Amino acid sequence: EPTEPDELVVLKLGGSVITNKDSPETVDDEALNSVLDAVAAAFRNDGARLVVVHGGGSFGHVHAAEHGVSTTEGTADAAAANAIHSAMKRLNGVVVDRLQQREVAALPVHPLSVAARDEGGTLSLPATATEGLLDEGFVPVLHGDVIAHAGEGVTVLSGDEIVTSLAESLGASRVGLCSTVPGVLDADDTVIETISSFSDVESVLGGSESTDVSGGMAAKVRELLDLGAPAQIFGPNAVVAFLQGENPGTLIDGQ
Ligand code: IP8
């Protein structure tokens, strides 16, 4: 059935979907345009609430690697931090502009300006700005970024962490992750339809817990199982289906 007007949907566009990973700071125009066409076609500005989050791809990750910055390894070098942040803002600008060209009321929200981690790495991402924009009928577009990290300078905040945090704080009804793969794949490369506990997929994804939150499907599935909302992982061709309330790809629902 179609998305209810008061539903809040969080949609993440994977960095490797919308950029060309092999070439620094290159948008994959065809892929990005087709995903944004799908958002514009399926999203109704009339009361439906949508938050878009995107990853870094060949923008943030190239600069983060160059300066040795990750979700756990920080830098106190302001120029390095700004190189990563500026690259992400350039990608974010492209996404926001192209959504506006498609009559979607998109506006940027930059995590560096609002979020931080404590000494233990626990994230605080106040949703005030995002929620205020939603209430005014805008579509907030957030991005992976660098943020203050107590004792570390800045560290990387991944798009997946933003999705999990905002889904909880805003009480999202549904979460969608648009990835380069059509879902979570089993040993025969068949899309797994539903995952309701990690033991369902432990043999396929491996049991070891990844320490890098932005690395690996196993860590992603674990995080999504803990969410209060159902999540879907699907490929670029399934954005319309997801926004129309269908369950493409893999449904991850631990509740
Ligand atoms: O691509 C990280 O976001 P991700 C973005 O969602 C940066 O892991 C700054 C490298």
Side-chain angles (χ1 to χ4, degrees):
E1 76 263 33
T3 303
E4 293 299 319
D6 55 353
E7 261 198 353
L8 173 66
V9 174
V10 178
L11 173 65
K12 181 184 175 204
L13 307 178
S16 26
V17 174
I18 62 172
T19 73
N20 182 345
K21 277 263 206 186
D22 302 327
S23 166
E25 292 205 27
T26 311
V27 172
D28 184 332
D29 280 310
E30 202 177 318
L32 177 63
N33 289 341
S34 116
V35 163
L36 297 185
D37 282 345
V39 172
F43 170 69
R44 297 168 304 127
N45 275 310
D46 57 337
R49 290 153 67 89
L50 175 67
V51 177
V52 174
V53 178
H54 64 80
S58 66
F59 285 75
H61 287 288
V62 168
H63 294 275
E66 189 182 320
H67 297 288
V69 182
S70 70
T71 55
T72 51
E73 293 298 310
T75 183
D77 177 348
N82 197 41
I84 303 166
H85 176 66
S86 300
M88 288 308 302
K89 274 200 303 191
R90 284 192 284 279
L91 177 58
N92 183 254
V94 173
V95 174
V96 167
D97 284 351
R98 291 191 190 181
L99 280 170
Q100 288 197 6
Q101 284 161 11
R102 289 166 172 76
E103 311 291 333
V104 175
L107 282 175
V109 174
H110 304 301
L112 173 62
S113 308
V114 291
R117 294 186 207 278
D118 67 15
E119 292 86 348
T122 300
L123 171 66
S124 162
L125 173 56
T128 320
T130 303
E131 194 158 30
L133 291 171
L134 282 170
D135 288 346
E136 293 305 310
F138 297 108
V139 173
V141 184
L142 294 95
H143 54 86
D145 206 343
V146 283
I147 58 166
H149 186 149
E152 292 281 342
V154 301
T155 51
V156 167
L157 172 69
S158 74
D160 286 355
E161 289 176 280
I162 299 172
V163 167
T164 329
S165 172
L166 286 182
E168 295 289 359
S169 59
L170 297 171
S173 2
R174 305 173 69 220
V175 169
L177 302 187
C178 177
S179 152
T180 49
V181 286
V184 182
L185 305 178
D186 70 12
D188 303 323
D189 278 352
T190 305
V191 173
I192 300 169
E193 259 180 50
T194 308
I195 301 173
S196 51
S197 101
F198 195 74
S199 58
D200 295 355
V201 287
E202 191 152 7
S203 59
V204 189
L205 297 182
S208 64
E209 187 145 17
S210 171
T211 50
D212 179 356
V213 290
S214 63
M217 195 58 98
K220 199 173 281 212
V221 168
R222 274 186 193 280
E223 291 256 329
L224 294 174
L225 279 167
D226 285 339
L227 270 188
Q232 300 278 149
I233 298 182
F234 49 82
N237 297 332
V239 174
V240 168
F242 170 73
L243 290 175
Q244 287 179 339
E246 292 166 31
N247 293 328
T250 302
L251 168 66
I252 300 175
D253 194 350
Q255 305 308 303

